[in-house]
Amino acid sequence: MAEPGTGDGLPRTLNFNIGVLGHVDSGKTSLARALSSTASTAAFDKNPQSRERGITLDLGFSAFTVPLPEHLREACGDRGYDSLQFTLVDCPGHASLIRTIIGGAQIIDLMLLVVDVVKGMQTQTAECLLIGQLTCSRMLVILNKTDLLPREKRQSAIEKITKKMHKTLENTRFKGCPVIAVAAKPGGPDAPDTEEPQGIPELIELLKAQAFLPRRDPSGSLLMAVDHCFSIRGQGTVITGTILQGAVSVNDTLEIPALKVTRKVKSIQMFRKPVSRAVQGDRVGVCVTQFDPKLLERGVVCTPGSLRTIHAAVISVRKIDYYRGPLSSRAKFHVTMGHETVMARISFFCLATPPNSTNPPDNKSSQSETPLNGSPAFADLSLDSVPPFSFDWEFRHQEEYLIGQGEGEGRDPEQWALLEFERPVTCPPLCLVIGSRLDSDIHSNACRLAFHGRLLEGFEEKNYTEICLPRLKISKDKHREGTVERVTDDYTVIGRNLFKKETNLQLFTGLKVTLSSGEMGVIEGGFGQSGKIKIRVPEGLKEETKQLLSSSAKKKGKGGAKSEVTKEEEPKTDSQPISIHLNFKRYIYDPHKKMVQS
């Protein structure tokens, strides 16, 4: 944050974003209120429904500032920071608003997981922990509401649940993270404010010790997550939010992709202090030339032309272990990417020929039967590296996500998915993608987060099915089986039951078939009008094959030809000893529907 008169516009206060997540009624907002000295425009549940019920319905932001800790002074070097501002992002815990949690979690440096010390780990607590694994590298666990524990048993109860939390986190990226007990609002939300919160000074000291210099890159295109928007008469429209990447300065031009308009930056503030410039990680209010704030309550603003609006996407995909439902192609999921959540149809695919890799990716998504407060299913979910993808590769369609069939014990193979959105989505490249079932019963003890991945390719064209999808070489393996009806000469047989009467046999002419007796043949075309085919055997039929077919023809007797027409679907018997096998693949997005054989 830039102090007035610093001249160069660079912040002298280092901004550090802390996400406060947890189950509904765990006391997140009370904790943020206890910690904060300055509240931003979106802070402390302004929503009337939220105030009435005492729960957070949207992201709230507040902040407090402390002197820059010594370890950060050394890390910052000559950057000129003299204080550390903790910006608290109070994310809702209400079950139906998980999309807002995901939107908030993507802009935090450190996560506070708030746990009701009386109730312990709950379903939404576990979901928040999963989101933290996907979006954050560090975490603190806050055991809140310790004032509700009987005094004589308080310390032993805190020690017991602390031990339980450490066990839960054992196999996660948060192993060994600090656990601290507090009472953010002794007596509950309706109690008078006369009682002092307990454990807050110790928590602030712990936060100072855990703070680090976040990676901030002012270069590249601006992307800012907007959480609030309002007008100031005579000045313009104020957009508040957090800068996810790049930087913004006074007099810059911003694009509002949702409205397809651009606006000029008139002024910038950080917690009511004017600055001339803000960079990645800063929380700011940006005043731009006038537009209707009701049109942009939430969303993103960016450098003009830097974001794409897409109708479909190719993503990398990994299943989240706790999700117990099926992951099937053609199913619909709620997909959160960028700061939008939209319904999308999913189709899974993998490499047609898996590569021989001595170092397969560390992907431990095997199905786990561990309950929500266990640990194995919390194994590392992070996506620090982006999986490769190329339109030149050959892929195979999957009816469902493959579990535990990769190289190495319990590993899932590398997999991708095509997402087709019900409405266009505006998002940055390579953004995190989370699929969930938000329509699931919010009262059931079941995780609704189903899969996660990264955006690899986006299709902007509305008619992407005709223009873009044919580039995706995803095939389905096909197999057909029929029988040899009779021999016409040493190099030709007539086959049946391979195709229906109405099949266009010209599409299959030239494809290779294999006889169960070992010969290779080629389909030369149709024979008659009932779906029969003529097969040429270039190397000629074996003597044994001819004898088998000759003997079966004799066994049929005079009525054989007639009976076979009416009993084509009967199981193979000794009178029909030779079967025909046709294997091919079809590219599912090929507009010409060609059959291909290797």
Side-chain angles (χ1 to χ4, degrees), residues 1-14 79-81 218 243 246-250 252 268-270 273-280 282 284:
M1 172 167 55
E3 297 287 350
T6 55
D8 59 4
L10 293 173
R12 294 186 62 200
T13 297
L14 174 64
R79 300 190 192 193
Y81 294 121
I243 299 176
V248 62
S249 301
V250 173
D252 281 355
I268 305 172
Q269 283 193 5
M270 289 193 197
K273 294 182 181 180
V275 296
S276 60
R277 184 171 184 257
V279 301
Q280 182 189 46
D282 285 336
V284 295

Side-chain angles (χ1 to χ4, degrees), residues 172-474:
T172 76
R173 69 191 311 180
F174 304 126
K175 180 181 180 181
C177 82
V179 179
I180 185 169
V182 304
K185 188 75 167 69
D190 298 325
D193 293 332
T194 50
E195 277 200 64
E196 284 291 315
Q198 301 163 15
I200 298 301
E202 293 83 358
L203 174 56
I204 290 175
E205 288 305 311
L206 181 57
L207 287 173
K208 287 164 63 177
Q210 290 292 312
F212 58 92
L213 182 63
R215 282 189 291 179
R216 306 297 195 215
D217 182 8
S219 64
S221 301
L222 170 75
L223 179 63
M224 174 177 163
V226 178
D227 54 71
H228 195 48
C229 202
F230 59 93
S231 289
I232 298 179
R233 188 186 293 272
Q235 294 189 41
T237 302
V238 176
I239 300 168
T240 67
T242 304
I243 299 176
L244 303 181
Q245 67 183 44
V248 62
S249 301
V250 173
N251 294 324
D252 281 355
T253 298
L254 304 181
E255 179 184 358
I256 307 171
L259 308 184
K260 295 182 170 58
V261 298
T262 57
R263 289 292 184 268
K264 188 176 180 179
V265 176
K266 299 175 72 175
S267 62
I268 305 172
Q269 283 193 5
M270 289 193 197
F271 289 94
R272 299 186 176 86
K273 294 182 181 180
V275 296
S276 60
R277 184 171 184 257
V279 301
Q280 182 189 46
D282 285 336
R283 170 148 181 82
V284 295
V286 179
C287 183
V288 300
T289 45
Q290 191 73 42
F291 71 89
D292 185 355
K294 293 178 182 176
L295 300 176
L296 184 75
E297 181 60 24
R298 297 188 61 80
V300 292
V301 297
C302 62
T303 300
S306 62
L307 283 192
R308 302 166 64 197
T309 298
I310 58 177
H311 294 265
V314 172
I315 66 164
S316 62
V317 63
R318 292 187 196 171
K319 182 180 182 294
I320 291 174
D321 287 333
Y322 276 143
Y323 182 70
R324 290 289 174 253
L327 284 185
S328 304
S329 286
R330 295 178 294 279
K332 287 186 176 182
F333 288 88
H334 293 91
V335 173
T336 301
M337 53 197 302
H339 275 65
E340 294 191 55
T341 298
V342 61
M343 288 296 291
R345 188 183 303 278
I346 192 166
S347 298
F348 296 99
F349 57 95
C350 63
L351 285 173
T353 307
N356 293 321
S357 172
T358 54
N359 295 300
D362 186 17
N363 186 1
K364 303 175 181 177
S365 299
S366 56
Q367 188 81 308
S368 168
E369 293 304 322
T370 309
L372 278 174
N373 60 354
S375 57
F378 277 130
D380 188 17
L381 296 173
S382 60
L383 272 180
D384 297 324
S385 60
V386 179
F389 169 82
S390 172
F391 283 108
D392 295 329
W393 295 349
E394 292 272 343
F395 298 103
R396 180 166 50 83
H397 171 79
Q398 298 169 193
E399 288 299 323
E400 59 184 16
Y401 181 88
L402 301 178
I403 297 173
Q405 298 180 28
E407 296 182 12
E409 186 177 348
R411 298 181 192 273
D412 297 352
E414 198 72 60
Q415 294 169 78
W416 295 265
L418 172 69
L419 295 177
E420 299 181 80
F421 306 119
E422 288 194 349
R423 62 172 175 80
V425 176
T426 301
C427 58
L430 300 176
C431 66
L432 174 68
V433 180
I434 297 179
S436 48
R437 274 283 169 80
L438 301 183
D439 50 357
S440 302
D441 181 6
I442 62 173
H443 302 295
S444 66
N445 184 31
C447 177
R448 293 160 298 152
L449 304 181
F451 62 85
H452 66 99
R454 290 275 178 190
L455 171 65
L456 303 178
E457 294 284 345
F459 303 132
E460 297 179 65
E461 295 81 359
K462 199 169 185 178
N463 55 342
Y464 66 91
T465 53
E466 301 163 22
I467 296 176
C468 306
L469 293 192
R471 295 177 61 200
L472 267 178
K473 292 185 277 191
I474 304 175

Side-chain angles (χ1 to χ4, degrees), residues 77-127:
D78 57 0
R79 300 190 192 193
Y81 294 121
D82 54 18
S83 58
L84 172 64
Q85 174 180 270
F86 289 109
T87 297
L88 303 173
V89 185
D90 177 19
C91 299
H94 192 269
S96 64
L97 299 177
I98 195 166
R99 68 198 69 173
T100 316
I101 297 180
I102 296 170
Q106 289 172 312
I107 58 175
I108 62 179
D109 300 312
L110 177 92
M111 174 176 163
L112 295 187
L113 183 66
V114 184
V115 179
D116 185 325
V117 72
V118 177
K119 297 177 181 176
M121 195 81 162
Q122 297 170 272
T123 305
Q124 292 167 41
T125 321
E127 289 179 341

Side-chain angles (χ1 to χ4, degrees), residues 18-203:
I18 297 180
V20 187
L21 287 83
H23 194 90
V24 63
D25 294 333
S26 58
K28 300 180 299 301
T29 304
S30 298
L31 179 67
R33 193 186 295 274
L35 284 169
S36 298
S37 59
T38 304
S40 80
T41 57
F44 304 142
D45 287 355
K46 295 189 183 302
N47 189 301
Q49 182 189 351
S50 177
R51 288 187 171 186
E52 184 181 327
R53 297 184 58 192
I55 60 171
T56 304
L57 288 173
D58 210 335
L59 297 180
F61 291 84
S62 51
F64 65 97
T65 304
V66 297
L68 194 71
E70 197 58 41
H71 72 281
L72 279 180
R73 199 172 297 278
E74 296 172 7
C76 291
D78 57 0
R79 300 190 192 193
Y81 294 121
D82 54 18
S83 58
L84 172 64
Q85 174 180 270
F86 289 109
T87 297
L88 303 173
V89 185
D90 177 19
C91 299
H94 192 269
S96 64
L97 299 177
I98 195 166
R99 68 198 69 173
T100 316
I101 297 180
I102 296 170
Q106 289 172 312
I107 58 175
I108 62 179
D109 300 312
L110 177 92
M111 174 176 163
L112 295 187
L113 183 66
V114 184
V115 179
D116 185 325
V117 72
V118 177
K119 297 177 181 176
M121 195 81 162
Q122 297 170 272
T123 305
Q124 292 167 41
T125 321
E127 289 179 341
C128 290
L129 180 52
L130 286 168
I131 293 168
Q133 286 240 86
L134 296 171
T135 57
C136 196
S137 60
R138 303 195 187 190
M139 185 178 78
L140 301 183
V141 176
I142 313 294
L143 303 180
N144 195 18
K145 303 187 179 182
T146 54
D147 58 299
L148 299 181
L149 296 170
R151 260 183 208 285
E152 63 278 8
K153 298 180 181 178
R154 185 172 298 171
Q155 192 55 40
S156 61
I158 290 171
E159 288 173 2
K160 183 178 179 181
I161 194 166
T162 298
K163 188 176 180 181
K164 195 172 184 179
M165 287 305 304
H166 279 305
K167 186 169 180 60
T168 297
L169 302 174
E170 206 166 52
N171 289 337
T172 76
R173 69 191 311 180
F174 304 126
K175 180 181 180 181
C177 82
V179 179
I180 185 169
V182 304
K185 188 75 167 69
D190 298 325
D193 293 332
T194 50
E195 277 200 64
E196 284 291 315
Q198 301 163 15
I200 298 301
E202 293 83 358
L203 174 56

Side-chain angles (χ1 to χ4, degrees), residues 472-503:
L472 267 178
K473 292 185 277 191
I474 304 175
S475 63
K476 276 187 178 181
D477 291 328
K478 302 282 188 177
H479 174 75
R480 295 197 177 202
E481 187 173 333
T483 54
V484 174
E485 179 183 281
R486 56 190 169 89
V487 179
T488 57
D489 59 47
D490 289 350
Y491 294 89
T492 310
V493 296
I494 304 300
R496 64 186 181 90
N497 293 351
L498 210 59
F499 303 106
K500 294 178 181 177
K501 180 180 179 180
E502 59 272 16
T503 303

